[in-house]
Amino acid sequence: QMGGQNLRKEHLYKVLVIGDLGVGKTSIIRRYVHQTFSSNYRATIGVDFALKVLNWDSETVRLQLWDIAGQERFGNMTRVYYREAMGAFIVFDVTRPTTFEAVIKWKEDLDSKVMLANGQRIATVLLANKCDQGRELSNNGIKMDQFCKDHGFVGWFETSAKDNLNISDAANFLVKHIMATENDILKSVVPDTISPQMDSSRQMSCSGCFK
Amino acid sequence: MELVKERLWEEHFTEFGRGVHMFRTEKIQKLVAMGIPESLRGELWMTFSDACSELDSHQGYYAGLVQKSMGHSNLATDEIERDLHRSLPDHPAFQNPTGIAALRRVLTAYAHRNPKIGYCQSMNILASVLLLYAKEEEAFWLLVAVCERMLPDYFNRRVIGAQVDQSVFEELIRERLPELAEQVPDLSTLSSVSLSWFLTLFLSVLPFQSAVCVVDCFFYQGIKSIFQLGLAVLDANAAQLSACTDDGQALMILTRWVNGKPQSAEWINLGRKTAAATPMLPL
């Protein structure tokens, strides 16, 4: 970037993409980052990684997307991958009810292993993927809203990596929430910092103690 | 080049025997490091892993296992079914029902043989490659050798063996690449990135032709070759990795670097260089 442009504020967010085996995590990421779709991506082993850069008003957002293998036996390795994440997508396959049942398990795993600096849970969006394959959730919308409320999701989207449906909307929605929580954290941190504009009327009894 | 390599192997067979009776000479190591010729790959994998003895002593076992195991539905078969088309999707052999059916039989029979493992993701990728170079029954016994002898406990329900080797890998980084370890005090990310290197013998990260040469080395030398190559990859990227400010950046550097090295010769040289530099690996 040239001259004056490099004053743009940059945000770097780590976002996890989790959910059962074969729900379409990799496909969603490929669609979002590379604008492509194939019905036969290689199964993800361990963890895969992609970067998406967004222009957000006058700022730049870099999303690090962590694509995490879905098979249950890899579950005890997720702690390292979750570290310092700011947001997450939990994905299920609308054509397979068992993958929806597993959503709660994934959410619990996530909340037990990662939290924000202020102790809050990280922003998590639920993705009902493969909605091109017929099963409509729309008439279950109210139920899904309630489910999200009950389990601490900030929202849900019906997505199709194949038809490119709702994926960037879901990502924008998550980014908005991450930014909001980031602002909350910054605000909550401010009183503890020492700044030159500190209340000058306040009497300091001891130079080593500001409390 | 293939013809030259074939001739060198033929000469070796004449002098030092073929099959189970073949002498393990120093020359073999060099021949393997050049990449085994396509026509001899299956046979030599069978010899090095001793899967050939298992096959000989279990005549009819595989056919019986296939008969017993097919047609049931359980977690393993569900997961296998979901991964059949996601193993080597770019290879023509797995873009038709014949290849897919063979892969299904090998994985299902194995899950039936060994319920402690059942099916673990990455076995699909390994089995596909084995099927490309060996007959179906041979591929099954090669998979047995890999899962039960060469990579013990790697694929069980908690992937314990692979986790242990990740810790070993961390230790090796500290020992062999002390400068990198000093710059990157928390090695858990680097070692967790390496999980797929170990579970798939680099097949899921490297271009196919390079990866198959890595598998050649693995069948001859075992997991040691994967440790060596892993260290070589980190070594080649040490400067950049040391400058990383977060985990994601490190991951990206390694992903990009690995994908951008399509020449198998380059990999073999890399492996050879490291092997020469680390002859005393206590493995």
Side-chain angles (χ1 to χ4, degrees), chain B residues 175-245:
Chain B
E175 194 182 303
R176 302 282 155 172
L177 304 170
E179 282 165 34
L180 178 65
E182 202 171 305
Q183 295 292 319
V184 188
D186 183 1
L187 292 170
S188 57
T189 303
L190 289 185
S191 72
S192 65
V193 171
S194 72
L195 180 69
S196 61
W197 303 353
F198 286 87
L199 285 171
T200 68
L201 309 176
F202 280 94
L203 285 163
S204 66
V205 285
L206 284 183
F208 183 76
Q209 282 308 326
S210 312
V212 178
C213 295
V214 175
V215 178
D216 290 340
C217 296
F218 168 77
F219 272 115
Y220 185 64
Q221 288 201 299
I223 195 64
K224 184 179 164 181
S225 50
I226 306 300
F227 278 116
Q228 286 172 336
L229 191 54
L231 287 172
V233 170
L234 296 186
D235 193 28
N237 289 282
Q240 277 188 288
L241 292 172
S242 300
C244 280
T245 48

Side-chain angles (χ1 to χ4, degrees), chain A residues 67-86:
Chain A
D67 180 2
I68 292 167
Q71 199 180 22
E72 191 178 3
R73 61 187 70 191
F74 295 107
N76 52 347
M77 302 180 189
T78 50
R79 193 179 295 274
V80 178
Y81 302 141
Y82 289 179
R83 212 163 47 183
E84 286 169 52
M86 291 287 283

Side-chain angles (χ1 to χ4, degrees), chain B residues 54-127:
Chain B
E54 295 275 330
L55 173 63
D56 282 345
S57 57
H58 291 85
Q59 292 293 332
Y61 173 89
Y62 176 68
L65 204 56
V66 168
Q67 215 165 23
K68 268 185 276 177
S69 63
M70 298 302 285
H72 304 288
S73 174
N74 52 47
L75 178 65
T77 59
D78 286 354
E79 293 185 335
I80 290 169
E81 207 57 40
R82 210 152 287 289
D83 281 351
L84 289 175
H85 293 272
R86 310 198 299 154
S87 304
L88 285 186
D90 300 326
H91 200 290
F94 298 99
Q95 288 164 353
N96 62 68
T98 315
I100 292 294
L103 183 59
R104 181 188 290 116
R105 283 191 297 271
V106 169
L107 291 172
T108 308
Y110 189 81
H112 191 84
R113 164 189 166 91
N114 190 347
K116 276 190 187 152
I117 288 178
Y119 167 70
C120 178
Q121 283 193 310
S122 69
M123 285 165 59
N124 58 328
I125 297 174
L126 297 174

Side-chain angles (χ1 to χ4, degrees), chain A:
Chain A
Q1 285 186 346
M2 304 295 284
Q5 285 273 309
N6 59 18
L7 286 172
R8 279 175 78 106
K9 197 173 169 194
E10 282 221 4
H11 300 268
L12 176 68
Y13 298 138
K14 173 172 173 179
V15 170
L16 307 170
V17 184
I18 54 180
D20 269 4
L21 182 152
V23 295
K25 299 178 289 295
T26 305
S27 297
I28 286 173
I29 293 174
R30 298 280 171 101
R31 168 60 81 186
Y32 183 52
V33 177
H34 304 291
Q35 289 87 40
T36 54
F37 177 80
S38 153
S39 51
N40 288 321
Y41 287 122
R42 194 149 60 187
T44 306
I45 309 296
V47 60
D48 234 326
F49 176 84
L51 186 73
K52 171 84 174 179
V53 181
L54 296 171
N55 290 314
W56 197 273
D57 299 329
S58 59
E59 302 173 350
T60 304
V61 173
R62 292 172 168 275
L63 285 186
Q64 273 181 5
L65 297 153
W66 289 56
D67 180 2
I68 292 167
Q71 199 180 22
E72 191 178 3
R73 61 187 70 191
F74 295 107
N76 52 347
M77 302 180 189
T78 50
R79 193 179 295 274
V80 178
Y81 302 141
Y82 289 179
R83 212 163 47 183
E84 286 169 52
M86 291 287 283
F89 290 113
I90 296 183
V91 187
F92 72 97
D93 171 353
V94 293
T95 66
R96 285 191 292 146
T98 55
T99 65
F100 178 67
E101 288 154 25
V103 163
I104 297 173
K105 194 198 72 192
W106 282 104
K107 185 70 167 67
E108 283 170 356
D109 186 54
L110 187 68
D111 289 339
S112 68
K113 290 174 182 167
V114 64
M115 60 170 77
L116 298 169
N118 61 3
Q120 302 262 312
R121 295 183 291 203
I122 66 169
T124 307
V125 171
L126 182 61
L127 301 184
N129 195 36
K130 306 196 188 180
C131 70
D132 56 276
Q133 293 192 14
R135 299 274 184 94
E136 287 273 329
L137 284 177
S138 322
N139 43 7
N140 270 327
I142 297 164
K143 265 191 198 165
M144 286 295 286
D145 288 343
Q146 189 59 45
F147 179 86
C148 286
K149 226 172 133 188
D150 292 346
H151 295 95
F153 288 91
V154 295
W156 67 282
F157 288 81
E158 275 183 294
T159 56
S160 163
K162 192 175 169 203
D163 294 351
N164 194 15
L165 205 75
N166 275 340
I167 290 171
S168 48
D169 291 343
N172 288 341
F173 181 80
L174 181 64
V175 169
K176 241 181 256 171
H177 274 268
I178 294 175
M179 287 185 137
T181 51
E182 193 183 38
N183 283 333
D184 286 349
I185 293 170
L186 289 176
K187 267 188 224 143
S188 72
V189 168
V190 167
D192 287 340
T193 57
I194 303 160
S195 70
Q197 292 91 22
M198 223 170 161
D199 189 358
S200 55
S201 62
R202 203 165 144 195
Q203 286 294 313
M204 302 289 179
S205 55
C206 158
S207 65
C209 175
F210 289 86
K211 292 209 169 144

Side-chain angles (χ1 to χ4, degrees), chain B residues 98-169:
Chain B
T98 315
I100 292 294
L103 183 59
R104 181 188 290 116
R105 283 191 297 271
V106 169
L107 291 172
T108 308
Y110 189 81
H112 191 84
R113 164 189 166 91
N114 190 347
K116 276 190 187 152
I117 288 178
Y119 167 70
C120 178
Q121 283 193 310
S122 69
M123 285 165 59
N124 58 328
I125 297 174
L126 297 174
S128 316
V129 174
L130 300 177
L131 278 166
L132 290 178
Y133 294 103
K135 293 192 189 88
E136 185 175 327
E137 188 178 13
E138 292 172 339
F140 171 80
W141 286 108
L142 285 168
L143 189 66
V144 170
V146 171
C147 295
E148 295 171 17
R149 286 185 284 120
M150 301 186 75
L151 299 177
D153 296 328
Y154 257 54
F155 306 101
N156 67 21
R157 305 244 168 237
R158 307 202 54 148
V159 208
I160 291 292
Q163 292 196 73
V164 168
D165 274 356
Q166 276 187 284
S167 305
V168 173
F169 189 53

